[in-house]
Amino acid sequence: MLTGDEYRESLRDGRRVFMDGVRIEDVTVHPLLRSSVDWTASSYDKYYDPDPEASGPYFFIPKSIDDLRAQGERQIDWDYPTGATSQGLLMVLTAASRMRATHPVYADRALAYFNESRLRDIRCVETITDAKGNRSLPPGKQDDPDMYLRIVERSADGIVIRGAKLHITGAAISHEMLVMPTKRMKAGEEDWSVACAVPVNAPGVTILTTSTAPRPDLDPSLFPYSSRYNTGEGFIVFDDVFVPNERVFLAGEVEHSATFAHALGLWQRLGSIGSYVKLADTLVGLAQLTAEANGLERVPHIREKIADMITYATLIRAGYEAAIQNADYTEEGWAGPDELFTNAAKFYAAAEFSHIVRHLHDIAGGSVLTAPSLRDLANPETGPYIEKYMRTMEGVDADLRLRLFHAIRDFTADAYGGWQHVTMIQSGGGLFAQRLVVHKHYDMDHAKELAKHVAGISKDETEDGTESIVGARPPFG
Ligand SMILES: Cc1cc2nc3c(=O)[nH]c(=O)nc-3n(C[C@H](O)[C@H](O)[C@H](O)COP(=O)(O)OP(=O)(O)OC[C@H]3O[C@@H](n4cnc5c(N)ncnc54)[C@H](O)[C@@H]3O)c2cc1C
């Protein structure tokens, strides 16, 4: 296993990373990337074990409901690349399981890749979203065929790929990218049906990265969350990148082009709802603390809003629990979450997020945006004014209220908060993708039968065993 420092050293590997028009020579010391590197390094140190056979719990294949639950508990506090590694490798294994019957070579490579990643203790990010060009056209009809990443050359040793993958979280500070098709491909789209693993520093790879860290000239106490926990998305260009055969998991088999996206959707969305349970409870906590600090926690409209927030948090938790409790198993005996509960919970959490944050902003008041800084509080010229006018009662001083307001602004209403709003809607393939999956896995026949009962048009067994469409039993009550 690697220590945190060995991880930092491993990132000094010649990778081509750019931000704000400038090439970043060393991501570990860059002012906007350093804290995400440090966060990931802290996971390395937390799990480090010098035993050569040891590996981190993120290289773990759940085989039971208890395993899934334990993995979910562990994952909630992981940095982004560590969580993505766990989800991405489970995606590769799930896809391998679904392809084993027809393409055992790919399934064997996927398992070998999982073991190799475990032994090297690397971080691998989920790399699916293509540039996509004109969204109304398929890959082959685009005026530039590179709008979806594709194979441009095949040889006995491997393939050469070209294209771009956008919004890839954690790419600049990870080791490898798990590349896969963004959607189902049809006959004739073989070159776009490609899945593989590509090192971040492979020749031909360029990363243009963003960061959710606050700019270094800003006071970090104004950003109590995002200055400690931040990440960034990579705009990744694959400019004729060679991928050796042992890292290719799909190269033209259109019938499996969506296998990876489906498997990723499952694991990525389970990881998301696990983290949303914590996120929603945090929003409730911020609302309650602020209401108490303002002396309003017993006021009916405040209590109603907090009750809405509690219901939101509890329903996400219920969906998460149901997804785990109704686990499915592969032929290998690997456990995976239930598709319907996972996607319904992810959709609900994302779709209702803005509504729930609105309650928090409503409860907290305008100081979320206008509260003076902690540096103003520390200044002897201005501090006494803030102490006088920001305190509300015995035990609630200016320091407490300023910290709450800055936390709410940073977490929900500033640069990181804006990132969170868009990410809620778009990550994991967007709301549309989750709607598709819930349609596919919902028991519509059962629902239609119930509707027919209500309408009195369902077939029902009579006492002599013949079918009747009248006199249907009421299904409720
Ligand atoms: C912060 C953040 C982190 C992310 N992390 C990752 C990551 O780590 N890895 C990764 O691979 N991706 C990642 N994503 C990408 C995410 O999955 C996509 O943003 C999402 O799938 C939408 O794709 P898009 O951004 O290209 O938007 P678009 O495809 O332009 O979609 C915009 C809207 O148009 C609709 N639309 C698009 N095409 C069609 C069509 N043909 N028919 C009907 N409607 C259509 C969509 O449903 C959506 O409502 C991340 C995104 C964000 C914002």
Side-chain angles (χ1 to χ4, degrees):
M1 295 180 75
L2 301 182
T3 64
D5 279 340
E6 285 167 342
Y7 157 69
R8 287 188 185 88
E9 187 53 42
S10 71
L11 299 179
R12 299 181 190 114
D13 58 1
R15 57 188 59 206
R16 265 168 64 82
V17 179
F18 293 79
M19 193 194 295
D20 293 342
V22 177
R23 173 136 187 212
I24 299 173
E25 294 301 336
D26 182 351
V27 294
T28 70
V29 294
H30 186 274
L32 288 174
L33 296 179
R34 191 176 45 211
S35 47
S36 9
V37 171
D38 289 347
W39 186 17
T40 302
S42 71
S43 300
Y44 272 101
D45 284 333
K46 178 175 173 186
Y47 291 111
Y48 179 71
D49 182 339
D51 180 341
E53 296 301 311
S55 57
Y58 22 89
F59 300 109
F60 174 73
I61 309 178
K63 299 198 175 76
S64 66
I65 289 173
D66 286 346
D67 279 356
L68 269 175
R69 184 168 286 116
Q71 185 71 349
E73 290 291 319
R74 285 191 287 264
Q75 231 176 78
I76 284 176
D77 289 321
W78 288 346
D79 60 278
Y80 187 83
T82 300
T85 301
S86 169
Q87 294 159 17
L89 290 172
L90 288 172
M91 172 279 290
V92 167
L93 292 178
T94 304
S97 168
R98 292 173 185 176
M99 295 198 304
R100 189 177 300 286
T102 50
H103 300 93
V105 174
Y106 289 144
D108 290 347
R109 285 180 192 168
L111 196 52
Y113 182 75
F114 175 86
N115 283 322
E116 183 204 316
S117 306
R118 187 174 62 79
L119 292 173
R120 291 173 53 213
D121 203 8
I122 58 172
R123 298 296 180 267
C124 321
V125 286
E126 303 150 354
T127 308
I128 179 166
T129 311
D130 284 296
K132 294 183 287 197
N134 181 338
R135 270 70 174 147
S136 68
L137 298 176
K141 296 261 166 60
Q142 300 284 337
D143 57 16
D144 181 340
D146 301 340
M147 287 297 116
Y148 286 77
L149 183 132
R150 66 187 177 118
I151 302 171
V152 290
E153 206 180 306
R154 295 169 193 261
S155 67
D157 304 333
I159 56 173
V160 175
I161 57 173
R162 185 188 304 158
K165 295 282 187 183
L166 273 47
H167 330 292
I168 310 307
T169 310
I173 61 163
S174 296
H175 302 103
E176 304 233 344
M177 294 173 284
L178 297 169
V179 175
M180 69 207 93
T182 206
K183 64 177 190 137
R184 183 184 302 284
M185 301 293 167
K186 302 196 183 83
E189 297 174 339
E190 286 73 13
D191 287 343
W192 291 278
S193 301
V194 53
C196 53
V198 179
V200 165
N201 69 341
V205 171
T206 300
I207 300 179
L208 315 180
T209 193
T210 59
S211 167
T212 54
R215 302 271 147 182
D217 54 328
L218 298 173
D219 170 8
S221 73
L222 290 172
F223 303 92
Y225 185 83
S226 64
S227 57
R228 288 177 294 159
Y229 306 108
N230 55 65
T231 180
E233 275 67 44
F235 179 116
I236 322 279
V237 180
F238 296 80
D239 198 1
D240 292 0
V241 176
F242 174 71
V243 187
N245 280 333
E246 61 272 19
R247 284 160 171 273
V248 175
F249 311 129
L250 189 77
E253 296 77 6
V254 286
E255 70 278 15
H256 278 299
S257 53
T259 303
F260 290 85
H262 286 158
L264 180 67
L266 189 61
W267 288 107
Q268 197 276 342
R269 289 172 200 152
L270 182 75
S272 291
I273 52 173
S275 68
Y276 296 163
V277 170
K278 183 177 173 188
L279 169 63
D281 285 339
T282 304
L283 296 176
V284 173
L286 286 169
Q288 182 68 23
L289 284 174
T290 312
E292 289 173 9
N294 289 352
L296 291 174
E297 75 275 21
R298 294 188 202 288
V299 168
H301 84 90
I302 302 280
R303 285 179 65 83
E304 274 170 29
K305 285 170 188 136
I306 292 179
D308 281 357
M309 297 176 76
I310 293 170
T311 305
Y312 173 75
T314 305
L315 285 178
I316 299 172
R317 186 183 296 279
Y320 182 63
E321 280 294 321
I324 289 176
Q325 198 61 38
N326 293 282
D328 283 329
Y329 292 85
T330 66
E331 282 186 5
E332 294 83 355
W334 302 333
D338 175 83
E339 302 244 16
L340 179 62
F341 286 116
T342 302
N343 282 275
K346 168 71 175 72
F347 176 85
Y348 170 74
E352 290 301 307
F353 180 70
S354 296
H355 179 205
I356 291 305
V357 171
R358 189 188 82 191
H359 281 340
L360 175 61
H361 292 171
D362 192 355
I363 291 167
S367 292
V368 165
L369 297 182
T370 66
S373 69
L374 289 168
R375 286 181 180 171
D376 290 324
L377 182 63
N379 181 337
E381 274 189 69
T382 53
Y385 298 137
I386 301 171
E387 273 165 15
K388 178 175 166 67
Y389 292 110
M390 285 300 279
R391 77 175 282 281
T392 51
M393 65 190 89
E394 183 69 34
V396 182
D397 60 14
D399 183 88
L400 172 71
R401 289 185 78 232
L402 291 188
R403 286 180 193 280
L404 281 175
F405 291 134
H406 290 311
I408 294 170
R409 195 205 69 258
D410 183 28
F411 204 53
T412 64
D414 209 327
Y416 178 84
W419 177 89
Q420 184 119 272
H421 274 275
V422 178
T423 305
M424 268 287 184
I425 301 295
Q426 295 295 353
S427 72
L431 296 180
F432 172 65
Q434 290 131 51
R435 281 196 177 106
L436 276 182
V437 184
V438 297
H439 256 285
K440 184 171 166 203
H441 292 279
Y442 180 72
D443 188 349
M444 192 60 85
D445 289 340
H446 174 66
K448 281 160 63 178
E449 273 313 308
L450 290 175
K452 286 179 187 171
H453 267 289
V454 169
I457 54 175
S458 63
K459 290 190 175 141
D460 209 10
E461 294 248 319
T462 58
E463 275 176 16
D464 64 3
T466 57
E467 282 186 345
S468 156
I469 62 160
V470 288
R473 262 179 289 113
F476 313 110

